[in-house]
Amino acid sequence: MDNCSLPEVTILPSATKVKEGGSLMFECHVSGTPPPVASWRTERLHSRHVFERRVMVSTLVLVLQLLEVSSKDNLHNLTCEAENQAGPGEDMVQLDIEFPVRILFLRKAERQHHWCFPFAVDGNPEPTIQWLYNGKELTENRYTYTQLFPDTDDGSVKHGCLFLNKPTHLNNGVYTMVVRNVLGHDQANATGLFMNSPADNFDDGAIPVPTNTSNKHVTESKESRLFVISVAVGLAVFACAFLLVMLVVINRCGQHSKFGIHRSSVLGTEDDLALSLRFMNFGTNPPCTEDDSGLSSFVENPQYFCGIIKDKDMCVQNIKRQDIVLKWELGEGAFGKVYLAECANLSPDSDKMLVAIKTLKDANESTRQDFQREAELLTVLQHQHIVRFYGVCTDGEPLAMVFEYMRHGDLNRFLRAHGPDARILEEVKMPPLGQLTVPQMLHIAGQIASGMVYLASLHFVHRDLATRNCLVGEGLVVKIGDFGMSRDIYSTDYYRVGGRTMLPIRWMPPESIMYRKFTTESDIWSFGVVLWEIFTYGKQPWYQLSNSEAIECITQGRELERPRTCPKEVHLLMQGCWQREPQQRLVIKDIHSRLLALVKNPPLYLDILG
Ligand code: AMP
């Protein structure tokens, strides 16, 4: 095209400071050949606004008037877009709306690494924050300090915590947050109940406000001190006994394999979860009922998937039992043992191959049919980052599935064995690889993302993505090795809340916890948790919380903390996966390409603490 030029877009004026409730006027000047079409992007604007359109000589002028400017638009990037056959053009100005500071919330202290009073404040110009403890000024120090969380992606709202490091009953009381900016001030109270003191006889929630806390403790009698000490010793003995019991339980869980972990350490006992759900008001009816097909309503793999299988006319390979020689046990899932085996006649290139054999114990006619159906599904899933399925062995008992052998086992164990606590965890059997580096972690994450891109392209919802369900092979090759659908095939009881409940709640987004909604977007949330697992060397998400506390945190919108070894770019990815609105979460293709870019160009990361 002759005389063709890209649109030129300029917003006037570029200064945008105004007080809340005031008005602003902007002109967007657009020129270009051929004449571009142009518009303001106002769909996310809260302030009332009107448009006007003027055409000057060769320039189109779009006027946008903001009336009664809302503080919600502070820091909003006002954008004017234009396009012609030559391409697009745009200009942007950031709104700077001044308004009195206000406290959006201040909640009672909750336990994280340290105790935290979570708060959110909003105000422009930036407010100052001050704290009072029982009405008196609280001096911040290394044990009591305010911390704001960067990049919360919430406009000008600042989220943060007043942290208290190891507070005792001496710190119980009323904490007042006072915020000020030049346009106003606000304050709010929250209670901190960290430990019950025998001297303070109060119930949860009814915290007395001592008029002179320090004096009170100075004048404690010898008897009361003695009493405090004996209670403390009693508590310590109880804590030790409790720890011992926990160690025994954890030890037992450790002997189970992946499915075992689902049953116990990840999900806790059935009662624990049922309790949690009741606590969250989900549990009056059994949250998971059976539908007509007899499957739990958690069991919802799309019909569409079956269509694909039929279209492809898949054939599941039948492997003769006599071709399989078991070597030793690799682990045990909820539905049977997993063995390392040598298998003959699998491939024309080699006469014997190492394989992993998953057996199915106690098979009846219906589980046999389910087994066959899963085998058909697994036959369809073929990708370099999905563990390879070779076929089934159905002549005789037990029924078995034959998979490619992944030498380093499941990714969670692998991460722990290559993290700072490898010695404590005594994963001595692992080959020495040293501690994983950030580029290696990115490489692992990129491979899982690649497998997920493939599953999403088939509209397959995994529902249980976690590092324990990924496998590690030679040369740091990582593959997704276990599928959500295994649960429905092997046991429809698996997701029953009324019966045996084993939901991977720590990996689940709020909508899956509250409404049992599992989608490609809920898989994205889990992928964010997988990233977190990788960058914490296999820590359990919300390890410091019980199941019910984890449910409460997730549904309240709390996020897992940024791991120490995690570059900012990766933390942004995690946060993109943990958007509360499923539609606002990143899509797996973008996550994958961003990870690939980071693998090629690893971010410079200095662990200043370590
Ligand atoms: P699962 O029944 O899938 O939970 O597997 C139980 C355990 O067996 C896992 O934690 C792995 O350690 C091991 N395992 C499962 N599949 C394989 C495989 N293909 N290659 C090597 N080890 C495996």
Side-chain angles (χ1 to χ4, degrees):
M1 218 190 287
D2 292 337
N3 292 331
C4 174
S5 66
L6 277 172
E8 272 188 32
V9 186
T10 314
I11 299 178
L12 296 171
S14 48
T16 60
K17 206 183 267 288
V18 68
K19 288 215 171 71
E20 182 180 34
S23 59
L24 278 172
M25 193 169 83
F26 296 98
E27 287 182 0
C28 174
H29 292 243
V30 182
S31 59
T33 314
V37 283
S39 62
W40 286 99
R41 295 205 55 174
T42 53
E43 62 278 5
R44 298 178 79 177
L45 205 58
H46 295 89
S47 310
R48 204 154 63 79
H49 52 274
V50 287
F51 302 105
E52 199 188 315
R53 189 184 174 87
R54 296 179 204 145
V55 182
M56 298 183 15
V57 189
S58 58
T59 310
L60 169 67
V61 180
L62 301 178
V63 181
L64 172 67
Q65 207 172 347
L66 305 186
L67 311 158
E68 293 165 31
V69 169
S70 161
S71 59
K72 288 185 189 158
D73 289 331
N74 186 32
L75 300 187
H76 176 81
N77 285 324
L78 199 57
T79 311
C80 180
E81 288 179 336
E83 192 174 359
N84 65 7
Q85 275 108 319
E90 67 170 31
D91 192 17
M92 205 184 272
V93 288
Q94 194 173 59
L95 299 179
D96 184 1
I97 300 158
E98 294 189 322
F99 57 101
V101 61
R102 50 187 170 251
I103 298 173
L104 305 181
F105 65 79
L106 170 65
R107 287 201 283 266
K108 69 176 188 209
E110 48 194 56
R111 204 176 60 219
Q112 300 181 358
H113 282 302
H114 302 318
W115 282 81
C116 147
F117 287 94
F119 64 77
V121 289
D122 200 6
N124 186 22
E126 194 144 315
T128 57
I129 299 173
Q130 195 203 350
W131 293 93
L132 306 179
Y133 170 60
N134 291 333
K136 294 214 172 109
E137 190 179 339
L138 178 76
T139 315
E140 296 198 17
N141 53 37
R142 54 192 290 222
Y143 301 106
T144 308
Y145 56 95
T146 310
Q147 194 171 317
L148 296 176
F149 306 137
D151 307 327
T152 46
D153 198 19
D154 196 1
S156 57
V157 177
K158 290 202 160 42
H159 292 259
C161 271
L162 171 67
F163 281 113
L164 274 78
N165 184 357
K166 300 195 184 71
T168 67
H169 66 278
L170 297 181
N171 303 91
N172 289 346
V174 177
Y175 288 76
T176 308
M177 181 185 199
V178 184
V179 290
R180 291 192 180 85
N181 70 2
V182 284
L183 296 175
H185 68 276
D186 195 5
Q187 72 176 60
N189 288 343
T191 48
L193 175 56
F194 307 104
M195 262 186 218
N196 265 350
S197 158
D200 300 337
N201 187 18
F202 53 75
D203 297 331
D204 199 349
I207 298 182
V209 182
T211 43
N212 195 339
T213 328
S214 48
N215 283 352
K216 187 175 141 213
H217 294 287
V218 173
T219 54
E220 273 173 353
S221 67
K222 268 188 188 167
E223 292 77 27
S224 74
R225 249 185 254 161
L226 208 73
F227 180 61
V228 172
I229 291 167
S230 41
V231 170
V233 169
L235 275 175
V237 170
F238 173 76
C240 286
F242 180 71
L243 264 175
L244 259 173
V245 172
M246 288 303 285
L247 273 175
V248 170
V249 171
I250 290 167
N251 223 352
R252 245 196 273 150
C253 298
Q255 283 158 17
H256 287 205
S257 68
K258 244 170 7 194
F259 282 123
I261 292 169
H262 290 232
R263 282 176 185 282
S264 43
S265 60
V266 174
L267 297 166
T269 60
E270 168 195 329
D271 291 347
D272 191 4
L273 199 90
L275 237 168
S276 314
L277 293 173
R278 217 171 307 134
F279 171 71
M280 302 292 293
N281 289 332
F282 305 139
T284 32
N285 294 323
C288 183
T289 50
E290 291 211 341
D291 63 21
D292 296 342
S293 68
L295 292 178
S296 143
S297 53
F298 281 110
V299 180
E300 287 160 358
N301 267 322
Q303 294 293 316
Y304 165 69
F305 196 72
C306 301
I308 283 188
I309 298 161
K310 280 183 198 133
D311 291 351
K312 281 202 176 172
D313 198 14
M314 296 311 300
C315 293
V316 180
Q317 192 179 343
N318 236 313
I319 295 161
K320 292 198 196 94
R321 199 161 293 264
Q322 70 199 43
D323 284 342
I324 299 172
V325 179
L326 296 188
K327 288 173 90 72
W328 55 77
E329 198 180 310
L330 290 172
E332 183 169 2
F335 310 110
K337 291 198 166 162
V338 183
Y339 297 95
L340 173 68
E342 237 173 23
C343 190
N345 303 322
L346 251 194
S347 114
D349 315 332
S350 62
D351 60 341
K352 272 184 195 160
M353 273 175 76
L354 284 179
V355 290
I357 306 271
K358 283 192 182 181
T359 55
L360 172 66
K361 59 184 177 205
D362 310 328
N364 55 33
E365 193 40 47
S366 109
T367 45
R368 267 175 182 273
Q369 279 171 14
D370 291 342
F371 179 87
Q372 183 66 26
R373 192 165 66 94
E374 176 171 9
E376 283 164 10
L377 295 177
L378 285 168
T379 309
V380 177
L381 299 180
Q382 288 179 14
H383 185 263
Q384 66 270 34
H385 294 296
I386 303 287
V387 72
R388 179 140 181 225
F389 173 66
Y390 288 120
V392 293
C393 175
T394 50
D395 53 340
E397 292 289 335
L399 295 181
M401 289 193 181
V402 182
F403 290 89
E404 99 184 83
Y405 171 57
M406 301 289 285
R407 167 183 265 277
H408 298 299
D410 75 76
L411 175 60
N412 188 263
R413 215 178 120 224
F414 183 84
L415 290 168
R416 289 173 182 214
H418 295 97
D421 296 329
R423 270 165 175 269
I424 312 172
L425 296 165
E426 286 185 309
E427 298 284 4
V428 281
K429 278 176 239 141
M430 292 281 182
L433 187 108
Q435 211 158 301
L436 286 172
T437 61
V438 167
Q440 285 173 321
M441 292 172 171
L442 289 167
H443 180 55
I444 292 172
Q447 297 178 73
I448 301 171
S450 165
M452 289 308 290
V453 169
Y454 171 74
L455 292 184
S457 75
L458 294 180
H459 301 270
F460 182 86
V461 180
H462 189 295
R463 295 180 296 157
D464 195 6
L465 184 64
T467 55
R468 63 178 174 274
N469 284 335
C470 298
L471 291 162
V472 187
E474 209 94 58
L476 208 60
V477 169
V478 177
K479 304 192 180 190
I480 298 168
D482 206 328
F483 297 91
M485 61 187 179
S486 319
R487 314 292 118 69
D488 21 3
I489 304 302
Y490 288 113
S491 167
T492 50
D493 287 342
Y494 192 78
Y495 284 114
R496 264 187 211 154
V497 178
R500 288 180 181 172
T501 306
M502 284 168 292
L503 293 174
I505 47 126
R506 289 162 197 266
W507 281 258
M508 280 159 55
E511 77 273 8
S512 305
I513 294 178
M514 294 191 288
Y515 308 110
R516 289 165 249 143
K517 198 162 182 251
F518 292 89
T519 56
T520 303
E521 290 77 33
S522 61
D523 274 355
I524 296 287
W525 179 289
S526 310
F527 183 83
V529 182
V530 165
L531 273 180
W532 186 92
E533 285 186 274
I534 295 172
F535 281 84
T536 55
Y537 298 95
K539 286 214 172 89
Q540 190 196 37
W542 303 111
Y543 57 86
Q544 69 280 40
L545 304 182
S546 68
N547 283 331
S548 49
E549 286 170 335
I551 288 182
E552 207 187 339
C553 271
I554 298 165
T555 51
Q556 275 178 5
R558 296 271 305 283
E559 262 179 21
L560 288 163
E561 270 180 33
R562 173 176 166 178
R564 245 179 69 177
T565 39
C566 177
K568 187 164 177 281
E569 292 83 346
V570 180
H571 189 228
L572 282 175
L573 275 182
M574 290 179 194
Q575 291 182 316
C577 297
W578 297 332
Q579 293 295 310
R580 194 175 179 88
E581 278 278 327
Q583 302 310 328
Q584 285 186 355
R585 289 177 203 151
L586 292 173
V587 291
I588 191 66
K589 265 193 179 167
D590 289 347
I591 296 175
H592 180 228
S593 47
R594 278 164 71 171
L595 282 169
L596 285 191
L598 288 172
V599 170
K600 276 198 197 130
N601 230 336
L604 254 187
Y605 184 74
L606 288 178
D607 182 355
I608 46 167
L609 297 174

